[in-house]
Each structure stands twice: as structure tokens, then as C-alpha cells.
């Protein structure tokens, strides 16, 4: 009691010398949702806050809670909770004589974000012209990039001295999405990205026909599936023809030495990537890429990515386009068999011109693919395989990311139609337990995000959003609104409630992403080029890989959540990527669909 009295007696006015920074979700807040601001201030005593309406009247007021020193941001943090305010309108939050810019409380705050973030995938399409009518304006229109992508396999020596024999065929791998700021198309990363959009379809039936800006809108098929099919068709093209023998690296790889290649039956595997032989300069408009495009050797990981999403495709298109569904199922089964035959062909890393997407533990990829094939076919062999893996029962180790895909299988078993109840129930329990851990992390993180770490990985914003996806699923399974609140905390962070006061999404908020690492949206390098269209997510703070010059200039000088700059050259912190925008679409569309 004494303590409380002392707190209440403490000065509520900040002295003129105390700097105050107020961080809110710049997009705004849902009427029925939680509403939290983070206030960075050295004050050890609570501060008075006021929520002002559009006419400057006080709509609510209170005192901050002092959360204390926060290692992730380097800030001394207070929290202001104005969740009680539900009336739609424009508001500003004021603390210590400082006020935010106006932000709305409205039931549709996530609507245009959902639409714009999906449109990113249209704009990343390869092999087709990007049209002004669907891209949101003439500045984003461009000629088709790589419209006739018929490619041979890499042959000759790579940078580590492995001499590759190449292959006897070429594949037409036109289409798909460019991965990121580069023009590579990678099966591994295509897999999780496509899965995320397809899962959103299965869970929430988002983006019915005619709701998105796409050339296919109006064709009688949900727009989300139209966009997803653009990538699915490409992934199917990346499959090695049946009966092919290739010399591939089998087993663990010594990264310092040339690889030993062994002839294997590679039919049904998937090429790891199609990409430029050498890195192209920034900027490079896709249609002006003059580099040689090559197919890189198949990997077991790519093969399992193909198996997983093709199985997902088979069950989703069964009722929409049975012939396409059958193609997908056949590809999935051939890929699965090929992976069982070649379980240890890891992606070779000796190439330049594109990213590595190397992964040396494929137990989670096997688990994911088995889960998708089981959900689609119900065949006992896949269930046996799932049951033999510890991933079927052990607590989830992490949120999904391109090298950690176990949770994708868990989510599918927990959400796909036709999975036996007992399996669904057990997998839901794993996801809810993970959500509980994320909530506990939220409660001990200064900025109250469900990600309490001081190690921010490459693409950290996607880790945060993938956790939000699991939190929203936990809410769906249990009805417990605490999980949904945790997901909104994650969205708040990405949209401005962070120490940099940065909306990491282009076109949204008063301080949006403007200069991503991208070869076309690069106005800081060439003023004739457009900035990013709305709805594009930056990878976000990275204090674990100082891979670019911008990062190196900050090394040792930034608190984890501040290791970020809006710079076109900062590829380790400010690139964009399909696997990062996908959970943004998922979370924004889901929050919108369930908003009140
Ligand atoms: O997202 C990838 C990240 O996890 C890796 O640490 C990083 C370095 O290997 O590569 C990232 O992926 C990039 C890919 O290799 C090439 N296209 C752009 C991707 C995003 O930066």
C-alpha cells in the first residue's frame, strides 16, 4: 500500500529536459481490440497521458505503467493502455507535452493493408508484364521480366572448385515470383511463401473472386488462389523429369572443399533455384537483366518443399480444377518418393549470383511434406511417418521460417479439412502451447511484442508476424482473446510501435518504408524508378548478420531493435521478400476478417 501511495504521489509531469517518445501503431487500432502505446522516457515515475479526439478534447486519460529498462530497444519504457476507448474516430496520444500524429480507431484499419500486401505478389511476378491497372499506377507498370525462361543446368566449375556436369535437358521455368530484391526464384523459399497464402485460403477463405487487383479477378476462382497458382505452376516446372540421372552431392558437405558428386536417380526432385549466374547491379529492371539464367542442382529440401505445396494444391483445387489438382498430386507424390530415395542431397553453396537457402537439417521438411500429403490423401503411410517423428508430439521449437518448417505441418494438421479429429486436437494443443510461450515473451518484452529476444535475425519482422499467425490460430482454436491481443501487439510493432517509430510497411503510417533493397523500386539510385508500392514489408532489424555496408557501419552501435536503416543498400536489414510479405498478408487479412 505504501508503495502504491508513493507511486501516486510521484510527479506526473515530465520535466522539460526529459525527452519523451511515443510509439503507436501508425495504421491505427481496432475498436474492439487492445490499444497500447509504448512511451520511451527516462522518467522512473508514471507519466500522465491523454487521448485527444479530432477536436482536441480529452477522450480518455490515465497514467503510464513503468515497464523499465529494455535491452532490445535500449529504452526505458512506459506503457499507456487506452483499450477502453472504442468509439471510431481520429485520435492523438499526448504525453508530457508531446503528441503523436493522428491515428484512427476503426473496424477496417487492416483492410487496405491486407489488399496491398497481397498485391506485392502480383508485382513480384516474373514472366508477365505488370500492368498499371492492377499495380496501382503507371509508375509500377513494367515489361515482363524473363518472359521466356528456358534454362539449362549449371555446368563447369563453381566457386569452390566443384565441377558440375550439367544435365541433358532444359526446363521451361517461366513464371513464379521473384524472391525478393533480386531476381532469383528459389523453390525452398517459394514453398513457405505459397504455403502461407494457401493456408490463409484454407483457414479464412480470404480474397474471394473480384476482391483483389489482379488480371485474373472475375474468373470465378478466389483471387488468393489465382495469385497462389502463379507460383504453383512455376514450382511444378522446377521438377526434374522422370528417369533422369544426375551427379549430385550426397551426405554432409565440407564447405571448404570441392564436393564429391555421386550419380543418383534424380527424377521427381526439384531444382533448388533458377537464378542469375552473377549478381546484377542495383538498380536492374527485370526486363533488362542481361545475366545468364541457370538451373541450379536439385536439393532434397527443394524437393520436399515441392511435395508439400503440391499436396496442398491437390486438396485445394480438387473442387475447383480437378485436372490441375491431379497434376499437383502426381507431382507431390513423385517428389516425396524422390526425397525418400535421396534424403541427403543438401543444397550446394558454391555459386554466386543468388542466395544459398542452404539447410542441413531436413527432418522438419520431411515432417511438413508428410503432413501435407497425409491431409490430402489420408494414406496411412504418411501418418506412420508423422508418428515416427518427434516433431509430431514435441513442443514447437520455433515459429515457421524458411529453414524451420515443422510448424507448417503442425498448422496443416490442425486446420485442414478431413484430418481425423484426434490428430487435429493434438496438433492444436501444440500450437496453443507455443502461443502461450509467445504471450509470456510478450509480457517480458519492453515493447510488448511476442518475441523477447536480443538476437534479431535476418528478416526479423517475419518471425514476429509468423508468431502472430500462430497466436491468431490459438485464438481461433480456443476463443481466448488474449491470443488475439498478442497478435495485435505484433502487428502494432511492425506498423510503428517500435523504438524507431518506423512503419516497416511501405505506404502505411506516417513514417513508412521508402527505400527497400530492391532492383526496381529504387528511386534513391535512379529518380526515374518508383518507390515501393504500398504494402511491402521490410525485413527489419538484424543484429546477427552484418552482411552489408550499411549494417557494418552500425555494428556495435545499435540496440537490437535499432539495427535498421531505410537504405537501399542495406540488404541484410531492408530487403523485401515473398516469405516475409506472406505472413503480413495472412495476419492483416485475418485481423480484417475477424475485426469488430
Ligand atoms: O532470408 C534469408 C536469410 O534467412 C539468410 O540469412 C540470408 C543469407 O543467406 O538470405 C536470406 O534470403 C535472401 C536470399 O538468399 C536471396 N534473395 C533475398 C533473400 C532475402 O534477403
Amino acid at each position: 500500500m505504501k508503495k502504491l501511495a508513493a507511486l501516486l504521489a510521484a510527479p506526473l509531469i515530465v520535466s522539460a529536459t526529459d525527452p519523451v517518445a511515443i510509439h503507436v501503431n501508425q495504421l491505427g487500432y481496432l475498436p474492439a481490440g487492445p490499444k497500447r502505446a509504448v512511451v520511451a522516457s527516462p522518467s522512473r515515475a508514471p507519466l500522465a497521458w491523454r487521448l485527444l479526439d479530432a477536436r482536441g478534447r480529452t477522450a480518455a486519460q490515465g497514467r503510464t505503467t513503468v515497464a523499465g529498462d529494455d535491452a532490445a530497444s535500449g529504452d526505458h519504457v512506459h506503457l499507456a493502455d487506452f483499450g477502453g476507448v472504442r468509439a471510431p474516430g481520429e485520435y492523438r496520444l499526448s504525453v508530457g507535452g508531446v503528441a503523436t500524429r493522428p491515428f484512427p480507431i476503426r473496424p477496417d484499419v487492416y483492410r487496405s493493408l491486407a489488399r496491398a500486401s497481397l498485391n506485392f505478389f502480383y508485382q513480384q511476378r516474373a514472366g508477365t508484364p505488370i500492368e498499371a491497372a492492377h499495380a496501382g499506377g503507371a509508375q509500377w507498370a513494367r515489361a515482363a521480366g524473363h518472359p521466356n525462361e528456358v534454362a539449362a543446368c549449371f555446368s563447369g566449375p563453381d566457386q569452390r572448385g566443384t565441377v558440375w556436369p550439367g544435365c541433358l535437358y532444359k526446363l521451361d521455368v517461366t513464371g513464379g515470383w521473384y524472391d525478393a530484391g533480386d531476381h532469383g526464384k528459389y523453390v525452398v523459399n517459394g514453398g513457405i511463401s505459397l504455403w502461407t497464402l494457401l493456408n490463409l485460403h484454407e483457414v479464412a477463405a480470404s480474397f474471394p473472386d473480384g476482391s483483389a487487383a489482379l488480371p485474373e479477378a472475375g474468373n470465378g476462382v478466389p483471387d488468393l488462389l489465382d495469385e497462389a497458382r502463379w507460383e504453383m505452376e512455376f514450382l511444378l516446372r522446377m521438377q526434374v523429369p522422370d528417369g533422369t540421372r544426375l551427379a549430385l552431392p550426397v551426405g554432409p558437405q565440407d564447405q571448404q572443399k570441392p564436393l564429391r558428386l555421386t550419380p543418383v536417380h534424380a527424377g521427381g526432385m526439384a531444382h533448388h533455384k533458377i537464378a542469375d549466374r552473377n549478381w546484377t547491379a542495383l538498380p536492374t529492371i527485370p526486363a533488362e537483366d542481361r545475366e545468364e539464367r541457370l538451373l541450379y542442382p536439385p536439393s532434397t529440401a527443394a524437393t520436399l518443399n515441392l511435395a508439400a505445396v503440391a499436396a496442398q494444391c491437390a486438396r485445394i483445387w480438387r473442387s475447383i480444377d480437378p485436372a490441375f489438382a491431379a497434376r499437383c498430386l502426381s507431382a507431390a507424390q513423385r517428389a516425396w518418393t524422390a526425397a525418400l530415395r535421396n534424403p541427403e542431397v543438401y543444397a550446394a553453396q558454391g555459386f554466386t549470383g543468388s542466395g544459398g537457402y542452404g539447410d542441413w537439417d531436413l527432418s522438419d521438411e520431411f515432417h511438413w511434406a508428410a503432413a501435407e500429403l497425409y491431409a490430402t490423401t489420408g494414406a496411412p503411410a504418411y501418418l506412420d511417418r508423422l508418428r515416427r517423428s518427434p516433431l509430431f508430439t514435441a513442443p514447437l521449437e520455433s515459429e515457421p521460417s524458411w529453414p524451420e518448417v515443422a510448424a507448417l505441418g503442425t498448422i496443416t494438421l490442425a486446420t485442414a479439412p478431413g484430418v481425423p479429429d484426434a490428430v487435429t486436437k493434438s496438433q492444436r494443443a501444440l500450437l496453443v502451447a507455443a502461443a502461450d510461450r509467445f504471450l509470456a515473451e510478450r509480457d517480458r518484452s519492453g515493447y510488448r511484442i511476442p518475441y523477447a529476444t536480443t538476437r534479431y535475425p535476418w528478416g526479423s519482422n517475419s518471425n514476429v508476424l509468423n508468431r502472430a499467425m500462430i497466436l491468431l490460430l490459438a485464438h481461433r482454436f480456443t476463443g481466448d482473446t488474449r491470443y488475439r491481443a498478442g497478435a495485435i501487439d505484433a502487428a502494432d510493432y511492425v506498423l510503428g510501435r517500435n523504438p524507431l517509430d518506423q512503419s516497416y510497411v511501405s505506404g502505411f503510417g506516417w513514417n513508412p518504408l521508402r527505400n527497400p533493397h530492391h532492383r526496381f523500386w529504387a528511386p534513391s539510385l535512379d529518380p526515374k524508378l518508383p518507390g515501393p508500392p504500398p504494402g511491402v514489408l521490410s525485413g527489419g532489424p538484424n543484429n546477427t548478420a552484418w552482411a552489408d555496408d550499411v549494417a557494418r557501419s552500425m555494428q556495435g552501435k545499435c540496440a537490437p531493435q535499432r539495427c535498421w536503416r531505410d537504405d537501399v543498400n542495406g540488404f541484410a536489414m531492408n530487403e523485401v521478400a515473398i516469405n516475409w510479405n506472406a505472413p503480413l498478408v495472412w495476419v492483416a487479412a485475418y485481423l480484417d476478417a475477424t475485426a469488430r
Side-chain angles (χ1 to χ4, degrees):
M1 269 324 266
K2 245 190 180 161
K3 232 178 174 178
L4 183 66
L7 265 184
L8 291 176
L12 287 172
I13 313 282
V14 204
S15 80
T17 51
D18 280 347
V20 170
I22 314 169
H23 304 298
V24 296
N25 181 333
Q26 297 171 14
L27 193 50
Y29 295 85
L30 296 168
K35 297 166 199 76
R36 231 198 275 261
V38 175
V39 181
S41 159
S43 169
R44 303 281 141 177
L47 305 171
W49 59 260
R50 260 177 225 289
L51 190 71
L52 308 171
D53 70 12
R55 294 162 65 181
R57 294 172 312 199
T58 301
Q61 55 187 314
R63 290 171 185 188
T64 60
T65 317
V66 183
D69 287 325
D70 172 38
S73 60
D75 289 342
H76 183 258
V77 164
H78 294 226
L79 304 168
D81 185 337
F82 50 101
V85 180
R86 288 163 167 255
E90 288 277 312
Y91 297 92
R92 289 145 62 94
L93 186 68
S94 152
V95 183
V98 178
T100 64
R101 306 222 199 162
F103 57 83
I105 293 179
R106 255 193 357 234
D108 61 351
V109 282
Y110 287 99
R111 187 148 312 156
S112 52
L113 177 62
R115 219 177 112 93
S117 56
L118 178 65
N119 194 249
F120 165 80
F121 290 87
Y122 170 67
Q123 309 233 16
Q124 289 288 103
R125 283 189 191 185
T128 190
I130 301 306
E131 296 168 34
H134 311 302
Q139 66 271 44
W140 292 298
R142 56 173 175 81
H146 311 96
N148 185 24
E149 187 125 280
V150 180
C153 297
F154 182 98
S155 64
D158 69 15
Q159 293 206 309
R160 293 189 185 162
T162 306
V163 181
W164 297 85
C167 58
L168 297 174
Y169 55 86
K170 287 186 170 187
L171 291 182
D172 180 349
V173 294
T174 309
W177 302 313
Y178 295 124
D179 189 55
D182 64 323
H183 298 142
K185 303 187 292 188
Y186 309 78
V187 173
V188 163
N189 205 42
I192 183 172
S193 311
L194 176 55
W195 178 92
T196 305
L197 298 192
L198 290 178
N199 179 261
L200 177 62
H201 169 79
E202 282 195 314
V203 169
S206 298
F207 300 105
D209 188 30
S211 64
L214 288 183
E216 297 84 3
N219 66 356
V221 175
D223 289 345
L224 187 54
L225 296 186
D226 288 330
E227 192 53 65
R229 187 165 176 164
W230 188 262
E231 179 74 359
M232 189 67 243
E233 299 263 15
F234 157 71
L235 293 174
L236 293 172
R237 290 163 180 251
M238 292 291 279
Q239 194 160 28
V240 175
D242 284 345
T244 303
R245 284 180 72 81
L246 292 175
L248 297 175
V250 176
Q253 299 175 358
D254 181 336
Q255 296 303 330
Q256 313 310 321
K257 289 194 195 141
L259 299 170
R260 205 161 61 84
L261 305 183
T262 312
V264 301
H265 283 285
M269 293 184 79
H271 284 277
H272 194 64
K273 58 188 172 184
I274 162 87
D276 295 315
R277 183 188 281 278
N278 297 295
W279 286 110
T280 57
L282 261 73
T284 294
I285 298 172
E288 291 171 11
D289 178 4
R290 298 284 166 260
E291 264 301 326
E292 189 183 3
R293 303 279 286 181
L294 292 164
L295 287 170
Y296 289 84
S299 67
T300 307
T303 304
L304 289 165
N305 270 258
L306 174 62
V309 290
Q312 217 182 357
C313 160
R315 68 173 180 270
I316 291 173
W317 268 274
R318 206 144 42 190
S319 57
I320 298 169
D321 182 344
F324 183 53
R327 242 177 91 205
C328 282
L329 184 58
S330 154
Q333 287 169 331
R334 282 181 295 123
W336 174 255
T337 312
L340 291 179
R341 214 189 308 124
N342 299 299
E344 285 189 300
V345 177
Y346 302 105
Q349 298 294 306
F351 308 106
T352 183
S354 56
Y357 286 121
D359 185 356
W360 285 266
D361 176 359
L362 304 182
S363 56
D364 52 317
E365 279 75 9
F366 272 104
H367 183 73
W368 173 34
E372 298 299 343
L373 279 154
Y374 177 60
T376 300
T377 65
Y382 300 119
L383 184 58
D384 284 351
R385 172 90 203 196
L386 288 169
R387 287 216 164 104
R388 286 204 309 274
S389 162
L391 297 170
F392 193 55
T393 46
L396 281 188
E397 266 179 34
S398 66
E399 68 284 354
S401 60
W402 66 262
E404 299 278 349
V405 291
L408 305 183
T410 312
I411 295 172
T412 283
L413 295 173
T415 56
V419 175
D421 283 352
V423 173
T424 300
K425 233 176 122 190
S426 67
Q427 302 302 298
R428 288 186 174 190
L430 294 180
L431 291 163
V432 172
D436 284 329
R437 294 201 306 276
F438 299 158
L439 279 188
E441 288 193 36
R442 192 269 317 267
D443 291 342
R444 61 171 197 270
S445 105
Y447 273 69
R448 291 301 187 265
I449 60 170
Y451 194 62
T453 182
T454 48
R455 290 182 57 75
Y456 275 66
W458 199 303
S460 62
N461 281 335
S462 72
N463 299 75
V464 174
L465 288 169
N466 275 318
R467 288 186 170 203
M469 173 177 75
I470 290 179
L471 284 159
L472 288 169
L473 288 167
H475 173 234
R476 182 182 187 85
F477 302 151
T478 62
D480 185 337
T481 53
R482 287 178 314 131
Y483 297 121
R484 184 178 162 81
I488 292 174
D489 279 315
D492 286 350
Y493 166 82
V494 166
L495 292 161
R497 202 184 76 196
N498 55 61
L500 299 176
D501 209 43
Q502 181 69 44
S503 163
Y504 289 110
V505 181
S506 56
F508 290 85
W510 51 78
N511 190 21
L513 166 70
R514 289 193 173 89
N515 295 302
H517 179 82
H518 196 272
R519 279 171 173 68
F520 176 49
W521 306 324
S524 63
L525 299 175
D526 178 350
K528 289 191 295 300
L529 292 175
V536 179
L537 176 74
S538 165
N542 178 355
N543 72 338
T544 52
W546 309 96
D548 62 62
D549 289 344
V550 183
R552 278 187 286 270
S553 75
M554 301 173 81
Q555 187 167 4
K557 299 179 202 147
C558 49
Q561 286 178 353
R562 293 175 181 272
C563 298
W564 185 87
R565 199 184 295 156
D566 192 3
D567 190 316
V568 67
N569 293 314
F571 59 82
M573 60 181 83
N574 203 29
E575 193 159 356
V576 305
I578 53 176
N579 63 316
W580 304 339
N581 241 75
L584 178 65
V585 177
W586 201 109
V587 169
Y590 194 90
L591 284 175
D592 183 51
T594 54
R596 274 162 299 127

